Amino acid sequence: MAEVLVLVDHVDGAVRKPTLELLTLARRIGDPVAVALGAGAESTAGVLGEHGAVKVLASDAPEFADYLVVPKVDALQAAFEAVSPAAVLVVSSAEGKEIAARLALRIGSGIITDATDLEAGDEGPVATQAVFAASYTTRSRVSRGVPVITVKPNSAPVEPAAAAGAVETLAVSFGEGATGTKVVSRTPRESTGRPELTEAAIVVSGGRGVNGAENFPLIEALADSLGAAVGASRAAVDAGWYPHTSQVGQTGKSVSPQLYIASGISGAIQHRAGMQTSKTIVAINKDAEAPIFELVDYGVVGDLFTVVPQLTEEINTR
Ligand code: FAD
């Protein structure tokens, strides 16, 4: 069976969920070979093997931490040349997309970004994408070279599948460009204790209807009752009620959770662009004519100041 390279997203050896989702998709196409880079790379092998990785190519060279993306591109290219895979899968994060694009250019391949599904096809893997602010769904395949595909978090279930997960050291010789951009400092963001917005299985967002920063704790309480991340519309962010890092939409983050709850959000096209691929969409809005109701699975016409606390209380009692 053909091998499929999967670039591992991990923090000091702790593998993040989107990588396990990639392994589910990779197994539809071939045998997953994981590429783990940076501190703790080798310790990813256990969990990767439990999710179907037949092999883990690991390198913990200091260059991965000291410089921006190019050393990782050098390493992924080294893995590509060592394995000759049928496809390369990368998580659709800002860094993942940059690495994937640079690799595709180097190996002369086509690239598909932000896929939301992946299946095997006679002429190579076929990826599903939502395009034009998610107004259309396209299915496409790379027609030149080995497909390089980035996949959005929450696009596939995490499915355990026992495999060898045998660790092999990846030999990388870094090119001239690898040390071109040095990391000067890293400041971890203050943790909210909530899941990362783009990876969360549930997102609860607030918009202009929340009517002030002082009311966002209502949204946060609902989010916490569900173990969800908190998002915001641009109107709420521009008003200074919530940080820009939480903005969902065309000029914010793109999310694709199992459940998206929009409270006091009208459903402008630029907001939809960032959340329309969510599996189940719920809206709470006091205006029955609000455009958001055109795309919801469940809609509540009501005042969020009444509905959201009731919902939170109900969930907390279960
Ligand atoms: P509004 O459109 O004002 O809607 C507020 C809603 O709250 C209304 O539907 C109202 O009925 C409801 N409401 C009010 N009070 C209550 C209550 N008590 N209970 C229940 N419901 C209530 N927007 C984004 O979100 N993300 C983006 O990334 C983004 N990028 C943009 C990029 C460009 C280039 C441009 C031009 C715009 C962009 N926008 C983006 C802005 C977008 O067009 C909308 O202006 C914005 O999404 C509106 O936010 P909102 O829905 O919170 O506010």
Side-chain angles (χ1 to χ4, degrees), residues 26-262:
R27 291 204 314 275
R28 294 182 188 167
I29 311 168
D31 288 329
V33 173
V35 180
L37 308 172
E42 289 198 3
S43 55
T44 61
V47 71
L48 295 172
E50 287 163 15
H51 292 85
V54 293
K55 208 187 311 177
V56 179
L57 301 175
S59 170
D60 62 0
E63 280 83 353
F64 302 123
D66 293 345
Y67 299 91
L68 289 182
V69 295
V70 181
K72 291 184 181 167
V73 184
D74 287 346
L76 193 54
Q77 186 175 5
F80 176 84
E81 283 159 8
V83 170
S84 299
V88 181
L89 305 186
V90 181
V91 174
S92 266
S93 58
E95 182 184 84
K97 283 195 268 192
E98 184 172 352
I99 293 170
R102 285 172 180 262
L103 177 77
L105 187 67
R106 287 188 188 187
I107 63 176
S109 283
I111 181 170
I112 295 173
T113 56
D114 288 336
T116 55
D117 202 3
L118 201 58
E119 66 205 75
D122 292 341
E123 295 172 79
V126 178
T128 303
Q129 287 166 296
V131 297
F132 293 128
S135 319
Y136 291 87
T137 299
T138 61
R139 293 173 68 251
S140 47
R141 66 175 171 78
V142 166
S143 52
R144 199 180 100 181
V146 173
V148 178
I149 301 170
T150 77
V151 181
K152 280 176 125 181
N154 291 309
S155 295
V158 172
E159 287 171 359
V167 181
E168 279 180 26
T169 303
L170 177 66
V172 193
S173 55
F174 295 108
E176 233 176 64
T179 54
T181 320
K182 189 160 176 43
V183 175
V184 178
S185 67
R186 277 199 172 83
T187 312
R189 205 173 336 131
E190 223 171 274
S191 171
T192 58
R194 299 190 184 99
E196 212 283 312
L197 183 57
T198 55
E199 294 171 12
I202 305 176
V203 174
V204 181
S205 286
R208 202 194 307 271
V210 175
N211 201 27
E214 66 279 12
N215 299 324
F216 254 86
L218 277 182
I219 304 298
E220 293 176 331
L222 177 56
D224 292 341
S225 72
L226 293 161
V230 176
S233 72
R234 178 158 160 182
V237 169
D238 283 353
W241 301 343
Y242 224 65
H244 181 255
T245 47
S246 302
Q247 183 177 314
V248 173
Q250 186 182 314
T251 43
K253 289 186 174 153
S254 176
V255 300
S256 201
Q258 297 297 323
L259 173 63
Y260 187 88
I261 304 180

Side-chain angles (χ1 to χ4, degrees), residues 12-30:
D12 294 332
V15 178
R16 301 176 78 178
K17 186 169 148 269
T19 297
L20 304 180
E21 297 163 5
L22 282 191
L23 290 174
T24 301
L25 295 175
R27 291 204 314 275
R28 294 182 188 167
I29 311 168

Side-chain angles (χ1 to χ4, degrees), residues 206-209 232-236 247-252 264-268 270-271 284-287 290 302-305:
R208 202 194 307 271
S233 72
R234 178 158 160 182
Q247 183 177 314
V248 173
Q250 186 182 314
T251 43
I265 292 177
S266 60
Q270 296 89 353
H271 187 79
I284 301 160
N285 197 304
K286 67 179 182 186
D287 175 8
D303 188 330
L304 72 88
F305 292 97

